[in-house]
């Protein structure tokens, strides 16, 4: 091998000199860089041997004959030449179908060569370098790889890259998956792909009961490491439920790097239906899974899905557990970025979600069109799926079709420290937290008609309780936070330039406190009830700071049913400033106390309420205006300041019944 190296060194030196430009030659010190045994000297004063005297010239030093080119064929290779229990392969060996017996405790070492078209049969405890493996070499006997990692080179395994027909794409899929399994069985734990761009046919038109079995499946105890030059593409198809890459009923798997391409814009949707379950990565019934630094593009359905094997009531039910998805990008998924119907102990962090669920020129998005959707399916009192203990943090989202992150159903969910354009909300959950997120409206629709955080729903069979929303900053949305159901807390949020800051909506046993609502939007409102709200009971709204151009408070149409007249709620210790009068209309059971209110208030159809110990100042408006149809109202110990004009401190206009006006002061 030393002679071979010397020959290559000389050859490279000569090639370098003959290929240099004139400028390069001028910069190169030939006498310094080229040995005199090759060049001699052109200066007779420095060269003691005259050029024209051959008698005195030294004999030319012979150059050793080089060994064979390391890539040259050596069919006469001596397999019995074992040195230090090693057979070194430094040339190309064509076995021509033969089987070579490798003695026990022998390692076959790669040193620039190759072995093909035959079989190596290892007696026992054999080792082989992964660089020598290929589709044309079979291994038998007791053998493992010499390292725990393996680099996959597509051309050595008959993978056909680029556009191919369905038959070739299916063969690509089979070869790729089989190779991963083979390499794992040879002892590798890390499977490396530096460069590949190939299509894989993963659809199963025959209708396998588990579609992910038709995908490229990654085995247990494996690290699939890909680069930015690794492109795994779904062969365009018409199947309704294909998956490109799958982690199916396995454990201890890491998938890192690489770009997964769905067939969204080339998919055949003509068979009807939504075709919304066309995913680039499916995790099913698996544990200890890490998805890191991948890019999913143009999934026909979801970029990544997390699900169980079987339903929660099945004896074979296997949830996906301990899942980490991090540092990844999900771009233009037709349905969702990440979706989970069943999963537990899942962390989704530091990912980018871009244009999920939006329309392209060739395909329209399909509902629900969310960056992350947690949605356990349960009905009629039967638990089919369980989604619990999720953490969604430090992610970035922009351009989603409907929503950034959504808990449709699930519990113990934390959504924190994310930066989004689209809303973050929940529908049916408990023991969940939305905190320290920044949500900034980016579209006219969000600014005119969308709620940044919808905390619950009035659907009768879905309840939200023991949830917290705090520390969030919401900018520019039509509505900041809409909170519903019971046992919820909303606090320490900043709502900036929203049309309405906080909406109270069919709520009980809850607190809304320490929020800051600031808006220079025309006719903006601080805290309001939703029109036709059914009830508010045992709710405290306190220590909030409101500064808006419209109404500081708009409380209306609540607790009006006979069964709700016993309901009570409090608005206390708030500082609220507005340019127009706050309104309290057709509502019952309010205690409005110890607030500092600039802008005055008006009551229409209010019942069974107390207004006490408030500091109310106006700019020409009436301090407290009992406009009409109020009944059983007490106003006591209020300090009212009229700053402009001759407006009244308190006005009892008409049709009011049982008003109690006690110890109020007017300045």
């Amino acid at each position: 091998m030393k002679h071979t190296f010397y020959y290559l060194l000389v050859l490279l030196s000569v090639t370098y000199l003959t290929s240099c430009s004139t400028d390069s030659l001028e910069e190169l010190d030939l006498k310094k860089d080229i040995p005199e045994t090759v060049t001699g000297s052109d200066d007779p004063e420095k060269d003691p041997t005259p050029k024209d005297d051959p008698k005195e010239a030294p004999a030319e030093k012979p150059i050793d004959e080089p060994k064979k080119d390391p890539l040259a064929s050596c069919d006469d290779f001596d397999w019995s030449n074992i040195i230090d229990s090693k057979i070194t392969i430094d040339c190309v060996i064509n076995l021509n179908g033969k089987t070579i017996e490798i003695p026990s405790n022998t390692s076959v070492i790669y040193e620039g060569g190759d072995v093909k078209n035959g079989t190596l049969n290892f007696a026992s405890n054999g080792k082989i370098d992964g660089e020598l493996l290929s589709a044309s070499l079979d291994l038998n006997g007791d053998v493992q790889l010499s390292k725990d990692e393996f680099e996959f080179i597509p051309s050595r395994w008959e993978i056909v890259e680029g556009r191919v027909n369905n038959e070739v794409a299916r063969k690509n899929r089979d070869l790729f998956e089989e190779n991963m399994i083979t390499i794992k069985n040879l002892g590798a734990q890390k499977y490396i792909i530096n460069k590949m761009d190939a299509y894989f046919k993963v659809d199963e038109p025959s209708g396998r009961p588990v579609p992910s079995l038709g995908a490229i499946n990654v085995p247990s105890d494996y690290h699939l490491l890909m680069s930015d030059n690794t492109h795994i593409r779904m062969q365009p198809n018409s199947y309704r439920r294909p998956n490109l890459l799958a982690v199916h009923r396995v454990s201890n798997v890491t998938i890192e790097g690489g770009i997964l391409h769905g067939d969204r814009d080339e998919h055949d949707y003509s068979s009807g239906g939504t075709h919304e379950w066309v995913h680039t990565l499916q995790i099913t019934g698996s544990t200890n899974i890490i998805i890191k630094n991948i890019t999913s593009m143009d999934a026909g359905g979801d970029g990544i899905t997390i699900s169980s094997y079987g339903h929660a009531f099945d004896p074979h039910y296997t949830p996906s557990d301990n899942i980490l998805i991090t540092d990844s990008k999900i771009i233009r998924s037709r349905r969702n970025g990440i979706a989970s119907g069943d999963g537990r102990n899942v962390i989704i962090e530091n990912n980018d979600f871009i244009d999920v669920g939006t329309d392209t020129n060739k395909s329209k998005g399909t509902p629900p069109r969310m960056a992350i959707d947690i949605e356990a399916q349960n009905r009629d009192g039967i638990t089919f799926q369980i989604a619990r203990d999720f953490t969604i943090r430090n992610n970035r989202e922009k351009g989603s079709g409907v929503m950034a992150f959504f808990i449709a159903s699930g519990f113990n969910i934390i959504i924190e420290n994310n930066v989004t354009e689209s809303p973050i909300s929940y529908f049916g959950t408990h023991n969940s937290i939305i905190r320290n997120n920044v949500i900034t409206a980016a579209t006219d629709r969000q600014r005119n008609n969308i709620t940044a955080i919808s905390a619950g729903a009035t659907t009768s069979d879905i309840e939200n309780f023991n949830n917290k929303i705090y520390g969030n900053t919401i900018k520019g949305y039509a509505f900041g936070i809409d909170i519903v159901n019971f046992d919820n807390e909303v606090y320490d949020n900043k709502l900036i330039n929203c049309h309405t800051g906080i909406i109270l909506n069919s709520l009980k046993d809850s607190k809304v406190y320490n929020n800051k609502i600031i808006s220079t939007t025309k006719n903006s409102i601080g805290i309001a009830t939703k029109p036709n709200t059914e009830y508010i009971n045992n709710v405290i709204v306190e220590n909030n700071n409101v500064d808006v151009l419209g109404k500081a408070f708009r409380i209306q149409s609540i607790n009006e049913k006979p069964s709700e007249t016993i309901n009570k709620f409090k608005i206390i210790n708030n500082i609220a400033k507005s340019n127009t009068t706050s309104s309290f209309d057709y509502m019952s059971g309010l205690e409005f106390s110890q607030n500092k209110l600039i802008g005055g208030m008006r009551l229409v159809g209010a019942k069974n309420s107390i207004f006490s110990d408030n500091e109310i100042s106006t700019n020409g408006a009436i301090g407290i205006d009992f406009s009409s149809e109020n009944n059983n109202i007490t106003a006591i110990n209020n300090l009212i300041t009229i700053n402009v004009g001759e407006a009244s401190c308190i006005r009892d206009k008409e049709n009011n019944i049982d008003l109690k006006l006690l110890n109020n002061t007017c300045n």
Side-chain angles (χ1 to χ4, degrees), residues 15-183:
T15 302
Y16 176 78
L17 291 176
T18 58
S19 62
C20 289
S21 67
T22 304
D23 292 339
S24 298
L25 288 171
E26 289 175 352
E27 295 172 0
L28 182 65
D29 186 346
L30 296 178
K31 297 174 185 177
K32 176 180 179 181
D33 293 340
I34 301 178
E36 289 189 1
T37 55
V38 176
T39 66
S41 173
D42 292 330
D43 188 346
E45 295 183 1
K46 295 182 179 179
D47 190 347
T49 306
K51 295 289 185 183
D52 55 357
D53 189 353
K55 296 180 180 179
E56 300 295 331
E60 184 177 351
K61 184 177 180 180
I63 298 176
D64 292 339
E65 287 293 328
K67 280 189 175 181
K68 296 178 181 178
D69 184 333
L71 296 181
S73 175
C74 52
D75 296 342
D76 57 349
F77 186 83
D78 184 4
W79 288 95
S80 65
N81 185 21
I82 302 174
I83 301 175
D84 296 330
S85 299
K86 297 177 182 178
I87 300 174
T88 300
I89 308 299
D90 59 357
C91 57
V92 177
I93 305 170
N94 190 337
L95 297 178
N96 294 311
K98 294 185 296 185
T99 297
I100 303 298
E101 301 295 332
I102 306 298
S104 296
N105 304 311
T106 300
S107 297
V108 180
I109 305 299
Y110 169 80
E111 197 167 315
D114 201 0
V115 184
K116 58 186 181 180
N117 300 328
T119 303
L120 299 183
N121 186 31
F122 290 80
S124 64
N125 196 30
K127 299 286 185 182
I128 188 169
D129 285 349
E131 293 89 339
L132 293 169
L133 303 186
S134 70
S136 68
L137 177 65
D138 293 328
L139 301 181
N140 288 336
D142 180 15
V143 59
Q144 294 280 282
L145 291 178
S146 55
K147 299 177 183 177
D148 65 357
E149 62 181 45
F150 170 80
E151 181 180 350
F152 178 77
I153 299 174
S155 61
R156 292 182 63 81
W157 298 96
E158 300 179 350
I159 297 293
V160 181
E161 300 187 71
R163 287 279 185 177
V164 294
N165 60 33
N166 284 341
E167 182 180 357
V168 174
R170 184 64 195 187
K171 186 177 180 182
N172 278 349
R173 179 263 173 206
D174 293 341
L175 290 171
F176 187 27
E177 182 179 289
E178 289 168 4
N179 185 256
M180 277 196 287
I181 295 171
T182 296
I183 297 303

Side-chain angles (χ1 to χ4, degrees), residues 351-354 370-372 392-400 402-406 415-425 434-443 446 450-453 472-477 480:
N351 303 288
D352 289 284
F353 298 87
I354 302 169
M370 299 172 182
I372 299 176
I392 300 169
R393 64 189 178 206
N394 299 322
N395 300 285
R396 297 158 296 277
E397 176 277 339
K398 62 186 303 183
S400 294
V402 172
M403 197 166 293
F405 313 133
F406 185 52
I415 302 176
E416 63 181 358
N417 300 319
N418 303 282
V419 177
T420 78
E421 291 180 353
S422 304
I424 301 174
S425 299
I434 300 174
R435 65 186 176 201
N436 301 329
N437 303 284
V438 177
I439 310 172
T440 304
T443 68
Q446 291 166 341
I450 301 297
T451 303
I453 299 179
N472 302 285
T473 299
I474 298 171
K475 302 177 182 179
Y477 264 80

Side-chain angles (χ1 to χ4, degrees), residues 482-535:
D482 184 337
I483 181 170
V484 66
N485 296 128
F486 62 96
D487 194 17
N488 295 290
E489 293 187 39
V490 176
Y491 59 95
D492 291 339
N493 300 285
K494 294 181 181 179
L495 302 107
I496 302 170
N497 289 332
C498 297
H499 178 269
T500 303
I502 294 175
I503 297 175
L504 310 178
N505 182 3
S506 297
L507 187 66
K508 65 180 180 180
D509 304 329
S510 298
K511 295 181 180 180
V512 178
Y513 58 97
N514 294 345
N515 300 286
K516 189 171 186 178
I517 304 171
I518 301 172
S519 181
T520 57
T521 302
K522 185 179 179 180
N523 299 323
S524 50
I525 300 169
I527 298 174
T529 56
K530 199 164 190 174
N532 302 315
T533 296
E534 292 185 9
Y535 60 86

